[in-house]
Amino acid sequence: MISNLLKGSGFKVMLASNGGEALEQIEAHPPDLVILDIVMPKINGYEVCRRLRTNPISKDVPIILCSIKAEEFDRYWGIRQGADAYVAKPFKPQELLTTVKQLLA
């Protein structure tokens, strides 16, 4: 759903099926922005976020955590791990698009 929303708004999108694959793709082709779910196979979104922040290639890439985990602690912990924004599911499409555009500006 997120991929279709972004593509429909003119963004180029790369997908990964798990945290390990995401790290590999980002290392090979650094993106302008990363959207991570927290609950992912192999490596969760928090750990991917931490690794991206310690890698010179991706340390400055904006990161949005987008997850069904909507408690205030989840939001707090996500920002503490290095995320620039946290969008809780379910979200309004415009909320995510606005966040993406703000981070890319």
Side-chain angles (χ1 to χ4, degrees):
M1 182 179 91
I2 292 173
S3 173
N4 289 336
L5 173 65
L6 294 172
K7 286 178 183 176
S9 296
F11 293 100
K12 181 180 174 190
V13 177
M14 295 183 338
L15 298 174
S17 60
N18 60 61
E21 185 180 320
L23 289 169
E24 289 173 7
Q25 285 188 23
I26 293 166
E27 178 80 23
H29 306 285
D32 295 327
L33 180 130
V34 173
I35 300 176
L36 297 170
D37 198 335
I38 293 171
V39 181
M40 295 189 298
K42 296 190 180 179
I43 304 171
N44 70 45
Y46 292 137
E47 179 64 22
V48 171
C49 187
R50 283 191 297 271
R51 290 186 190 188
L52 292 175
R53 287 297 177 236
T54 60
N55 183 333
I57 290 173
S58 57
K59 69 180 180 66
D60 296 322
V61 173
I63 298 171
I64 299 172
L65 283 174
C66 184
S67 181
I68 196 157
K69 295 173 120 315
E71 298 297 320
E72 192 57 39
F73 177 78
D74 299 309
R75 190 178 302 273
Y76 165 80
W77 192 245
I79 300 302
R80 289 278 311 212
Q81 303 315 299
D84 297 286
Y86 193 104
V87 177
K89 296 177 190 174
F91 57 84
K92 294 181 178 150
Q94 192 57 47
E95 177 187 2
L96 181 62
L97 288 174
T98 297
T99 303
V100 167
K101 289 174 183 175
Q102 286 173 345
L103 290 173
L104 290 174

